[in-house]
mmCIF file of all heavy atoms in Angstrom:
data_model
loop_
_atom_site.group_PDB
_atom_site.id
_atom_site.type_symbol
_atom_site.label_atom_id
_atom_site.label_comp_id
_atom_site.label_asym_id
_atom_site.label_seq_id
_atom_site.Cartn_x
_atom_site.Cartn_y
_atom_site.Cartn_z
ATOM 1 N N VAL A 197 -62.730 -5.023 197.521
ATOM 2 C CA VAL A 197 -62.482 -6.441 197.253
ATOM 3 C C VAL A 197 -61.304 -6.598 196.298
ATOM 4 O O VAL A 197 -60.432 -7.454 196.495
ATOM 5 C CB VAL A 197 -63.739 -7.130 196.682
ATOM 6 C CG1 VAL A 197 -63.419 -8.550 196.200
ATOM 7 C CG2 VAL A 197 -64.840 -7.182 197.741
ATOM 8 N N LEU A 198 -61.268 -5.761 195.266
ATOM 9 C CA LEU A 198 -60.172 -5.837 194.301
ATOM 10 C C LEU A 198 -58.846 -5.510 194.971
ATOM 11 O O LEU A 198 -57.827 -6.159 194.694
ATOM 12 C CB LEU A 198 -60.428 -4.876 193.141
ATOM 13 C CG LEU A 198 -59.333 -4.849 192.060
ATOM 14 C CD1 LEU A 198 -59.135 -6.227 191.438
ATOM 15 C CD2 LEU A 198 -59.661 -3.815 190.986
ATOM 16 N N ARG A 199 -58.834 -4.532 195.852
ATOM 17 C CA ARG A 199 -57.596 -4.186 196.559
ATOM 18 C C ARG A 199 -57.086 -5.393 197.362
ATOM 19 O O ARG A 199 -55.908 -5.728 197.310
ATOM 20 C CB ARG A 199 -57.836 -2.996 197.494
ATOM 21 C CG ARG A 199 -56.652 -2.686 198.417
ATOM 22 C CD ARG A 199 -56.888 -1.422 199.209
ATOM 23 N NE ARG A 199 -56.764 -0.256 198.351
ATOM 24 C CZ ARG A 199 -55.606 0.308 198.018
ATOM 25 N NH1 ARG A 199 -54.466 -0.197 198.489
ATOM 26 N NH2 ARG A 199 -55.575 1.356 197.242
ATOM 27 N N GLY A 200 -57.986 -6.036 198.092
ATOM 28 C CA GLY A 200 -57.582 -7.215 198.848
ATOM 29 C C GLY A 200 -57.081 -8.320 197.952
ATOM 30 O O GLY A 200 -56.138 -9.044 198.304
ATOM 31 N N GLN A 201 -57.694 -8.438 196.763
ATOM 32 C CA GLN A 201 -57.273 -9.478 195.833
ATOM 33 C C GLN A 201 -55.879 -9.198 195.258
ATOM 34 O O GLN A 201 -55.053 -10.103 195.131
ATOM 35 C CB GLN A 201 -58.289 -9.594 194.690
ATOM 36 C CG GLN A 201 -57.973 -10.678 193.686
ATOM 37 C CD GLN A 201 -57.898 -12.048 194.318
ATOM 38 O OE1 GLN A 201 -58.904 -12.624 194.683
ATOM 39 N NE2 GLN A 201 -56.688 -12.583 194.445
ATOM 40 N N LEU A 202 -55.611 -7.945 194.929
ATOM 41 C CA LEU A 202 -54.281 -7.600 194.419
ATOM 42 C C LEU A 202 -53.212 -7.817 195.492
ATOM 43 O O LEU A 202 -52.101 -8.274 195.199
ATOM 44 C CB LEU A 202 -54.269 -6.156 193.923
ATOM 45 C CG LEU A 202 -55.143 -5.848 192.698
ATOM 46 C CD1 LEU A 202 -55.012 -4.379 192.310
ATOM 47 C CD2 LEU A 202 -54.780 -6.735 191.509
ATOM 48 N N GLU A 203 -53.552 -7.508 196.725
ATOM 49 C CA GLU A 203 -52.605 -7.747 197.819
ATOM 50 C C GLU A 203 -52.331 -9.240 197.971
ATOM 51 O O GLU A 203 -51.205 -9.654 198.230
ATOM 52 C CB GLU A 203 -53.162 -7.168 199.120
ATOM 53 C CG GLU A 203 -53.196 -5.640 199.135
ATOM 54 C CD GLU A 203 -53.915 -5.070 200.332
ATOM 55 O OE1 GLU A 203 -54.598 -5.854 201.039
ATOM 56 O OE2 GLU A 203 -53.812 -3.843 200.575
ATOM 57 N N GLN A 204 -53.373 -10.044 197.767
ATOM 58 C CA GLN A 204 -53.200 -11.498 197.831
ATOM 59 C C GLN A 204 -52.265 -11.988 196.727
ATOM 60 O O GLN A 204 -51.437 -12.873 196.944
ATOM 61 C CB GLN A 204 -54.559 -12.182 197.694
ATOM 62 C CG GLN A 204 -54.508 -13.702 197.600
ATOM 63 C CD GLN A 204 -54.928 -14.369 198.881
ATOM 64 O OE1 GLN A 204 -54.614 -13.894 199.976
ATOM 65 N NE2 GLN A 204 -55.632 -15.465 198.763
ATOM 66 N N LEU A 205 -52.383 -11.409 195.554
ATOM 67 C CA LEU A 205 -51.501 -11.787 194.441
ATOM 68 C C LEU A 205 -50.043 -11.478 194.777
ATOM 69 O O LEU A 205 -49.140 -12.255 194.446
ATOM 70 C CB LEU A 205 -51.916 -11.064 193.162
ATOM 71 C CG LEU A 205 -53.220 -11.507 192.506
ATOM 72 C CD1 LEU A 205 -53.487 -10.676 191.262
ATOM 73 C CD2 LEU A 205 -53.180 -12.989 192.150
ATOM 74 N N LEU A 206 -49.815 -10.333 195.403
ATOM 75 C CA LEU A 206 -48.451 -9.971 195.787
ATOM 76 C C LEU A 206 -47.872 -10.982 196.774
ATOM 77 O O LEU A 206 -46.710 -11.386 196.660
ATOM 78 C CB LEU A 206 -48.425 -8.572 196.400
ATOM 79 C CG LEU A 206 -48.666 -7.404 195.436
ATOM 80 C CD1 LEU A 206 -48.706 -6.091 196.208
ATOM 81 C CD2 LEU A 206 -47.578 -7.351 194.364
ATOM 82 N N LEU A 207 -48.689 -11.408 197.726
ATOM 83 C CA LEU A 207 -48.229 -12.400 198.699
ATOM 84 C C LEU A 207 -47.943 -13.735 198.019
ATOM 85 O O LEU A 207 -46.935 -14.393 198.311
ATOM 86 C CB LEU A 207 -49.279 -12.577 199.797
ATOM 87 C CG LEU A 207 -49.479 -11.397 200.746
ATOM 88 C CD1 LEU A 207 -50.647 -11.662 201.684
ATOM 89 C CD2 LEU A 207 -48.206 -11.129 201.540
ATOM 90 N N ALA A 208 -48.829 -14.135 197.109
ATOM 91 C CA ALA A 208 -48.639 -15.406 196.409
ATOM 92 C C ALA A 208 -47.361 -15.381 195.583
ATOM 93 O O ALA A 208 -46.605 -16.359 195.540
ATOM 94 C CB ALA A 208 -49.842 -15.699 195.515
ATOM 95 N N GLY A 209 -47.106 -14.247 194.928
ATOM 96 C CA GLY A 209 -45.937 -14.135 194.072
ATOM 97 C C GLY A 209 -44.620 -14.159 194.816
ATOM 98 O O GLY A 209 -43.556 -14.332 194.214
ATOM 99 N N GLN A 210 -44.667 -14.003 196.128
ATOM 100 C CA GLN A 210 -43.451 -14.041 196.934
ATOM 101 C C GLN A 210 -43.107 -15.450 197.415
ATOM 102 O O GLN A 210 -42.042 -15.663 197.998
ATOM 103 C CB GLN A 210 -43.612 -13.097 198.133
ATOM 104 C CG GLN A 210 -43.672 -11.627 197.731
ATOM 105 C CD GLN A 210 -44.079 -10.723 198.867
ATOM 106 O OE1 GLN A 210 -44.144 -11.143 200.017
ATOM 107 N NE2 GLN A 210 -44.367 -9.464 198.560
ATOM 108 N N ARG A 211 -44.004 -16.391 197.158
ATOM 109 C CA ARG A 211 -43.705 -17.779 197.522
ATOM 110 C C ARG A 211 -42.638 -18.344 196.599
ATOM 111 O O ARG A 211 -42.620 -18.057 195.398
ATOM 112 C CB ARG A 211 -44.972 -18.647 197.422
ATOM 113 C CG ARG A 211 -46.038 -18.311 198.450
ATOM 114 C CD ARG A 211 -47.270 -19.174 198.228
ATOM 115 N NE ARG A 211 -48.310 -18.923 199.206
ATOM 116 C CZ ARG A 211 -48.436 -19.578 200.351
ATOM 117 N NH1 ARG A 211 -47.563 -20.547 200.645
ATOM 118 N NH2 ARG A 211 -49.405 -19.292 201.188
ATOM 119 N N ARG A 212 -41.783 -19.173 197.138
ATOM 120 C CA ARG A 212 -40.670 -19.715 196.349
ATOM 121 C C ARG A 212 -41.156 -20.659 195.255
ATOM 122 O O ARG A 212 -40.472 -20.851 194.251
ATOM 123 C CB ARG A 212 -39.698 -20.450 197.266
ATOM 124 C CG ARG A 212 -38.968 -19.540 198.251
ATOM 125 C CD ARG A 212 -38.099 -20.347 199.176
ATOM 126 N NE ARG A 212 -37.118 -21.142 198.438
ATOM 127 C CZ ARG A 212 -36.446 -22.169 198.947
ATOM 128 N NH1 ARG A 212 -36.658 -22.534 200.202
ATOM 129 N NH2 ARG A 212 -35.567 -22.820 198.224
ATOM 130 N N THR A 213 -42.316 -21.264 195.452
ATOM 131 C CA THR A 213 -42.818 -22.243 194.484
ATOM 132 C C THR A 213 -43.866 -21.660 193.538
ATOM 133 O O THR A 213 -44.492 -22.392 192.784
ATOM 134 C CB THR A 213 -43.424 -23.445 195.221
ATOM 135 O OG1 THR A 213 -44.453 -22.981 196.110
ATOM 136 C CG2 THR A 213 -42.358 -24.206 195.994
ATOM 137 N N VAL A 214 -44.071 -20.339 193.600
ATOM 138 C CA VAL A 214 -45.120 -19.707 192.797
ATOM 139 C C VAL A 214 -44.544 -18.547 191.996
ATOM 140 O O VAL A 214 -43.782 -17.730 192.519
ATOM 141 C CB VAL A 214 -46.270 -19.183 193.695
ATOM 142 C CG1 VAL A 214 -47.336 -18.482 192.851
ATOM 143 C CG2 VAL A 214 -46.881 -20.327 194.487
ATOM 144 N N GLU A 215 -44.925 -18.469 190.725
ATOM 145 C CA GLU A 215 -44.568 -17.320 189.889
ATOM 146 C C GLU A 215 -45.836 -16.746 189.275
ATOM 147 O O GLU A 215 -46.643 -17.477 188.706
ATOM 148 C CB GLU A 215 -43.585 -17.725 188.792
ATOM 149 C CG GLU A 215 -42.206 -18.084 189.330
ATOM 150 C CD GLU A 215 -41.193 -18.317 188.220
ATOM 151 O OE1 GLU A 215 -41.620 -18.634 187.089
ATOM 152 O OE2 GLU A 215 -39.988 -18.179 188.486
ATOM 153 N N VAL A 216 -46.012 -15.440 189.447
ATOM 154 C CA VAL A 216 -47.171 -14.735 188.892
ATOM 155 C C VAL A 216 -46.678 -13.772 187.830
ATOM 156 O O VAL A 216 -45.765 -12.976 188.072
ATOM 157 C CB VAL A 216 -47.923 -13.967 189.999
ATOM 158 C CG1 VAL A 216 -49.068 -13.150 189.391
ATOM 159 C CG2 VAL A 216 -48.455 -14.931 191.054
#
Side-chain angles (χ1 to χ4, degrees):
V197 171
L198 179 59
R199 172 174 287 278
Q201 182 59 73
L202 294 181
E203 291 172 348
Q204 174 104 322
L205 289 179
L206 289 176
L207 291 174
Q210 292 170 10
R211 293 177 178 269
R212 293 176 58 197
T213 56
V214 178
E215 291 187 337
V216 176

